[in-house]
C-alpha cells in the first residue's frame, strides 16, 4: 500500500489499483494500530487456515455494516 499511495493509488504499470476504495478503507483502519506490532503475510487465495478465515470473516462483517 505504501507504494500505491506514493503513486497516487496507481500500480507499478500506472493502472489504477483494483478495489482502490476498499484498500483505502483498510489503510484508514490500519492507521488506528501500532504498525510496529502488525505483521502481514502473503497467502495464496486458495489457502485456508484459521488466521486467514478469521480475517476474512472480519472483513465480510465490516463490509456488511
Amino acid at each position: 500500500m505504501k507504494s500505491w499511495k506514493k503513486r497516487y493509488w496507481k500500480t507499478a504499470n500506472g493502472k489504477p489499483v483494483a478495489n482502490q476504495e476498499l484498500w483505502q478503507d483498510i489503510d484508514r483502519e490500519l492507521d488506528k494500530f501500532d504498525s510496529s506490532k502488525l505483521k502481514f503475510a502473503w497467502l495464496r487465495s486458495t489457502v485456508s487456515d484459521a488466521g486467514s478465515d478469521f480475517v476474512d470473516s472480519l472483513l465480510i462483517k465490516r463490509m456488511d455494516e
Side-chain angles (χ1 to χ4, degrees):
M1 255 189 293
K2 190 184 287 188
S3 296
W4 291 341
K5 288 166 48 173
K6 286 181 183 178
R7 291 189 297 264
Y8 304 98
W9 294 95
K10 304 278 186 199
T11 63
N13 63 7
K15 294 182 181 179
V17 171
N19 301 308
Q20 177 178 330
E21 288 140 3
L22 295 175
W23 284 112
Q24 289 171 330
D25 287 345
I26 292 169
D27 185 47
R28 282 188 290 276
E29 291 299 315
L30 289 174
D31 283 340
K32 298 175 183 178
F33 298 93
D34 180 356
S35 62
S36 68
K37 296 181 181 179
L38 295 174
K39 180 182 176 186
F40 294 92
W42 180 85
L43 297 173
R44 292 177 58 145
S45 61
T46 57
V47 172
S48 179
D49 67 30
S52 178
D53 293 343
F54 174 70
V55 170
D56 285 348
S57 70
L58 290 177
L59 287 172
I60 290 168
K61 181 179 176 183
R62 178 71 173 154
M63 289 188 305
D64 288 341
E65 291 178 359

